Amino acid sequence: MTTEAKTNILHTEIIDGVAVVTLDTPDEKVNKLNEELIEEFSELLDRLESDDSLNGALLVSGKDENFIAGADIEMFKTRDTAEEMAKLSWTGHEILLRVEKCKKPIVAGIHGSCMGGGTELALACHYRIVSDHNATKIGLPEVKLGLLPGMGGTQRLPRLIGIQKALTYMLTGKNMYSYQARKTGFADEVIHQHAIRDAGIKAVKKLRDKKADHPDKRSFAEKALESNPIGRSILFNQALKRTMKETRGNYPAPPKIIESVKYGFKNGLDAGLKNESLLFGELAVTPESRALVNLFFGMNAAKKNPLDDKKREVKRIAVLGAGLMGSGIAEVSAEEGYHVWLKDQTMENAMEGEAEIEKNLEKKVSKRILSSFEKDEKMSLIHPTTTYNGFENIDLVIEAVFEDLDLKQKIVNEVESAGSENTIFASNTSSLPISDIAAKSERPEQIIGMHYFSPVQKMPLLEIIKTDKTADWVTATAFEVGLKQGKTVIVVNDGPGFYTTRILAPFMNEALLLLEEGASIEQLDSAMKDFGFPVGPVALFDEVGIDVGAHVADTLSDIFEERGAKTSKKAAELVDKGYKGRKNGKGFYVYESGSGDKKKKKEVNTEIYSFFGGSDRRSFPENEIQKRLTLMMVNEAVYCLQENILQSATDGDLGAILGLGFPPFLGGPFRYIDHEGPDKIIEWMSTLQNDHGDRFKPAGLLIDKNKSGRRFHPE
């Protein structure tokens, strides 16, 4: 017998005494835990507890490849104090405690993304069935928002899979895939997605008379260390030490996560849950969490195509250049189902690019993120070539060749001759103006910039550059492709260096000037990592390529020198002497001869100091290094907004964080100014201008903001 009941989100079918509850938030792509869902869950539990005809409940999702995406962060906007945020956390605890203590079994059937509060709901259930699909991923990513899991995650996950494994997931926010869910003991069953309902109903019936048996899958060493107070103390101390080394103390959430787990094991689950709520409230009002939450909102907004109604369908993409960037673009395109023509000058080069893609996909197979069949399916979409044959059927051409204007203009003409009248031409240039690349084009309205970041597979940003001639449908279509490739997309207006390269150039230039003044490579990189950048500016020179840095400096020097800036010529000198960085094993740091691989211990190439006044180095105040480099980037970002290169401050923050590694906990250049206050930024810059010249002159828009008392972000 089957009966049905439906509220706004929960749709309940009674099948053979089991309440099969489908979560399906109307008019949303994903389910989120919010106050409305919590209220409906409460009503469901009332019915489950009072109706003797029900054996238990199975929770499944009505969304494609999504169980619950996590808590609805919009709830944070209406709460300002730590007490309000702690109360919100406790509201979640109360409903999950009811789930956990329910006398009838509640089974979670998970297919697709299960994040944050969704994972915590699953942990409170009595049994977890997970689909073996590669879209299924489980996580507690709250640390990425400057928070800790606030609905029992710090208490239940360590008790289920062990402290060490749980800390790894909570401190990094990384995903647990289905095979890991099985291996760690998170999942009681891992099966095909279409078998979840039947298996879940069967599990409820089985558990009605017998409690679930969750085998301890920890190793002997893990059990030995975690089963006694002394071992746990060692474990927590090591985790804290490692965390502080990695975060440089800039993120308050990781130590609080460790503290929350530690407190719960010392004082018991109930006390641990209450303490977790208090810590959640404390973290939620920190500047770091506020900045990271605003970054989250910005990234979500950037996932919506503002010209959605003007986009055109893309089925076939051609990538010109099968090097590191080209093969990376081809890989992320094929992974999303696009047919990709990978063109290079020789078939050997094109095949090498294809082989690199296969190697990367094979790694995903080894990690069980992809099956061998799925890998072969994606590889079948890659078509190496040396000709333009078939380009009349290509919808989008992405050029990823050397930064040479004449070469790019020549390729534009070749593509226009070989392609159809609707083919879009996108350049992956990092600094050359798109209008210059389009200068000799027959169809300049179909030329756009699509600036990817290396490595393409990992870097989340795509910077789209439009000229005053670029058609809206071209921008819309490029934006849609970027979204499907999994990128956060910003659209900027054309100009030398666009946005990201333009604000990076003065930052890197200042590092070279400091080296000329006698600073050491180690101190420059260490100071900026302490400030919150993932890598220091000198190490970044080696990673990007000193030759690329020299080219960018040459392209942008006129802009900066017109404002009285002092520009270093050292990158060009280094390139003339064969220094290109990691790519040829000759840079600011020492690399293994010819391999480009880093040594176990990174060592400075002291020979390079001969270009910067000799080996005698002097120490600078760390604060001076940090201010000089950061304020050069921040001020240039303001210039970009002032000159309409940027369309919004939010785009500027996203671009700097996701493309260049600007410290996320500071929220980006514009939120950094809002937090510190434009008056303080101007004061710092004026002091530096007096000491070091007009390159530190505050941008006019910054001065205007200070006079008006307005912020870059009004909220």
Side-chain angles (χ1 to χ4, degrees):
M1 180 180 176
T2 301
T3 60
E4 295 189 11
K6 188 173 183 180
T7 52
N8 194 39
I9 300 172
L10 301 183
H11 176 206
T12 304
E13 296 176 84
I14 309 303
I15 302 175
D16 203 12
V18 176
V20 179
V21 183
T22 302
L23 291 75
D24 196 356
T25 307
D27 304 319
E28 295 283 350
K29 289 184 179 179
V30 297
N31 294 314
K32 297 176 187 176
L33 268 178
N34 54 26
E35 286 148 312
E36 183 181 4
L37 180 56
I38 287 173
E39 188 175 327
E40 290 190 19
F41 251 111
S42 182
E43 294 170 3
L44 171 70
L45 289 167
D46 289 342
R47 181 183 178 189
L48 192 62
E49 289 164 349
S50 62
D51 190 339
D52 291 337
S53 69
L54 294 179
N55 292 310
L58 166 66
L59 307 180
V60 294
S61 172
K63 303 296 185 186
D64 292 333
E65 300 185 353
N66 168 256
F67 181 67
I68 297 178
D72 188 349
I73 309 301
E74 292 288 335
M75 294 188 293
F76 291 12
K77 289 183 176 179
T78 57
R79 295 166 172 84
D80 297 318
T81 67
E83 291 76 19
E84 287 175 314
M85 297 302 288
K87 186 178 179 182
L88 176 64
S89 167
W90 188 250
T91 300
H93 278 309
E94 287 178 323
I95 197 71
L96 294 194
L97 280 167
R98 285 190 66 190
V99 169
E100 185 176 55
K101 293 178 180 180
C102 183
K103 292 181 179 179
K104 295 177 181 177
I106 301 176
V107 174
I110 301 168
H111 171 64
S113 177
C114 176
M115 294 289 140
T119 298
E120 290 173 298
L121 170 60
L123 286 166
C125 291
H126 306 105
Y127 198 82
R128 286 157 295 280
I129 301 172
V130 173
S131 86
D132 58 6
H133 197 279
N134 60 19
T136 296
K137 45 186 183 284
I138 297 145
L140 292 172
E142 287 85 354
V143 69
K144 296 178 181 180
L145 296 177
L147 300 168
L148 52 68
M151 291 174 61
T154 67
Q155 304 305 303
R156 293 190 178 96
L157 187 63
R159 286 171 169 81
L160 181 65
I161 69 171
I163 296 171
Q164 293 172 81
K165 289 190 181 80
L167 282 177
T168 298
Y169 286 108
M170 290 188 290
L171 293 174
T172 63
K174 74 176 187 176
N175 294 332
M176 176 191 295
Y177 293 93
S178 53
Y179 83 97
Q180 293 163 323
R182 186 204 306 269
K183 188 176 179 182
T184 60
F186 176 90
D188 295 289
E189 291 182 57
V190 176
I191 59 177
H192 192 278
Q193 68 185 91
H194 297 307
I196 286 178
R197 282 172 68 96
D198 288 343
I201 292 168
K202 184 178 179 182
V204 169
K205 292 179 178 179
K206 180 178 71 175
L207 297 174
R208 187 65 182 94
D209 301 314
K210 181 184 177 184
K211 274 192 171 184
D213 179 28
H214 304 292
D216 189 339
K217 295 193 176 183
R218 293 176 298 169
S219 68
F220 176 79
E222 286 170 333
K223 291 176 186 176
L225 195 60
E226 296 176 11
S227 60
N228 65 88
I230 295 174
R232 288 196 295 269
S233 178
I234 293 170
L235 193 160
F236 290 131
N237 288 338
Q238 287 177 337
L240 182 61
K241 184 178 179 182
R242 187 165 55 250
T243 294
M244 297 305 288
K245 182 180 178 182
E246 290 173 356
T247 65
R248 307 251 173 168
N250 287 316
Y251 293 85
K256 292 289 188 186
I257 290 171
I258 295 168
E259 180 186 334
S260 184
V261 177
K262 184 178 180 179
Y263 186 93
F265 271 85
K266 183 178 180 181
N267 297 285
L269 177 64
D270 289 344
L273 293 173
K274 290 176 183 176
N275 184 61
E276 183 186 87
S277 283
L278 294 175
L279 294 177
F280 180 87
E282 290 174 14
L283 286 172
V285 296
T286 60
E288 293 85 357
S289 179
R290 294 294 192 196
L292 290 166
V293 167
N294 282 319
L295 174 63
F296 173 83
F297 285 132
M299 289 174 67
N300 271 1
K303 289 176 182 175
K304 296 171 184 173
N305 192 337
L307 298 168
D308 189 66
D309 59 331
K310 296 185 179 180
K311 69 188 179 188
R312 296 187 184 178
E313 187 178 19
V314 171
K315 292 182 178 178
R316 299 175 183 84
I317 293 174
V319 179
L320 310 183
L324 187 66
M325 290 299 294
S327 63
I329 295 167
E331 182 178 330
V332 298
S333 301
E335 284 212 81
E336 296 309 314
Y338 291 112
H339 278 273
V340 183
W341 275 251
L342 185 57
K343 182 183 180 299
D344 211 303
Q345 291 178 310
T346 67
M347 186 55 77
E348 182 182 4
N349 289 346
M351 296 289 283
E352 282 180 6
E354 182 186 39
E356 183 66 21
I357 294 169
E358 184 163 23
K359 184 177 79 173
N360 292 335
L361 294 181
E362 193 59 56
K363 287 178 183 176
K364 291 190 174 184
V365 173
S366 67
K367 294 178 180 179
R368 302 189 191 181
I369 298 171
L370 288 179
S371 67
S372 293
F373 174 78
E374 288 166 328
K375 184 211 78 173
D376 292 341
E377 192 176 39
K378 294 179 191 305
M379 286 305 303
S380 71
L381 300 174
I382 305 289
H383 313 289
T385 183
T386 60
T387 74
Y388 288 110
N389 291 343
F391 269 52
E392 66 274 9
N393 297 314
I394 298 294
D395 303 302
L396 169 65
V397 174
I398 303 174
E399 163 269 305
V401 302
F402 300 114
E403 291 286 273
D404 182 286
L405 181 59
D406 290 338
L407 175 61
K408 290 178 187 288
Q409 289 179 338
K410 175 175 175 285
I411 290 174
V412 167
N413 294 144
E414 290 174 351
V415 169
E416 287 183 335
S417 296
S420 77
E421 61 181 17
N422 294 316
T423 300
I424 297 172
F425 183 95
S427 177
N428 180 49
T429 178
S430 59
S431 61
L432 294 173
I434 303 303
S435 54
D436 289 354
I437 294 171
K440 298 178 182 179
S441 166
E442 294 179 4
R443 295 188 287 272
E445 70 279 3
Q446 287 167 224
I447 296 186
I448 198 165
M450 293 179 74
H451 180 204
Y452 295 85
F453 296 77
S454 183
V456 179
Q457 300 89 333
K458 292 182 179 180
M459 293 296 283
L461 186 72
L462 172 62
E463 181 181 24
I464 289 179
I465 308 101
K466 62 185 179 71
T467 73
D468 55 2
K469 294 181 180 178
T470 305
D472 282 350
W473 72 266
V474 172
T475 305
T477 303
F479 198 111
E480 192 66 20
V481 169
L483 290 180
K484 287 186 177 178
Q485 291 170 334
K487 303 301 179 187
T488 298
V489 184
I490 63 170
V491 179
V492 302
N493 289 313
D494 193 27
F498 332 124
Y499 173 62
T500 52
T501 302
R502 179 167 162 185
I503 70 170
L504 180 63
F507 175 89
M508 302 292 273
N509 180 70
E510 199 63 27
L512 293 176
L513 292 176
L514 276 159
L515 286 174
E516 291 183 44
E517 292 172 32
S520 70
I521 291 169
E522 298 101 322
Q523 191 185 15
L524 287 180
D525 280 352
S526 177
M528 296 316 294
K529 287 176 75 174
D530 283 346
F531 188 75
F533 281 86
V535 295
V538 186
L540 185 59
F541 251 118
D542 274 1
E543 294 298 324
V544 171
I546 299 170
D547 53 335
V548 174
H551 172 78
V552 169
D554 182 59
T555 303
L556 298 175
S557 60
D558 288 349
I559 292 176
F560 303 132
E561 288 175 0
E562 281 176 11
R563 301 203 302 252
K566 178 183 179 183
T567 55
S568 174
K569 309 299 181 186
K570 292 300 178 184
E573 288 181 32
L574 290 168
V575 174
D576 287 342
K577 297 297 182 182
Y579 289 87
K580 292 187 178 181
R582 189 175 178 184
K583 67 175 70 173
N584 73 339
K586 192 176 181 182
F588 288 95
Y589 286 91
V590 175
Y591 300 91
E592 294 289 352
S593 178
S595 70
D597 293 329
K598 290 182 181 179
K599 287 188 171 182
K600 289 181 181 178
K601 185 178 180 182
K602 201 171 183 180
E603 295 178 2
V604 168
N605 179 7
T606 54
E607 293 178 2
I608 213 165
Y609 284 135
S610 64
F611 293 87
F612 297 94
S615 58
D616 289 340
R617 300 283 100 188
R618 67 185 181 92
S619 178
F620 283 71
E622 184 175 77
N623 190 46
E624 179 186 343
I625 293 171
Q626 292 170 343
K627 278 192 168 59
R628 283 176 63 173
L629 270 71
T630 302
L631 291 178
M632 287 304 295
M633 179 179 281
V634 167
N635 197 46
E636 200 61 37
V638 178
Y639 271 116
C640 287
L641 187 59
Q642 177 179 309
E643 296 170 13
N644 200 35
I645 296 296
L646 279 174
Q647 299 187 69
S648 71
T650 297
D651 284 350
D653 288 337
L654 288 174
I657 292 171
L658 302 180
L660 305 177
F662 191 92
F665 65 89
L666 296 178
F670 296 99
R671 289 203 181 273
Y672 177 65
I673 295 170
D674 285 346
H675 179 260
E676 295 292 346
D679 55 338
K680 189 181 289 187
I681 300 291
I682 290 169
E683 179 187 333
W684 290 341
M685 295 203 70
S686 298
T687 300
L688 290 169
Q689 185 182 1
N690 290 333
D691 293 343
H692 300 287
D694 284 346
R695 67 183 181 276
F696 287 102
K697 182 179 179 180
L701 180 58
L702 183 60
I703 295 170
D704 291 344
K705 288 287 183 185
N706 187 43
K707 287 180 179 177
S708 67
R710 288 182 288 121
R711 295 154 55 97
F712 285 102
H713 295 280
E715 75 277 5

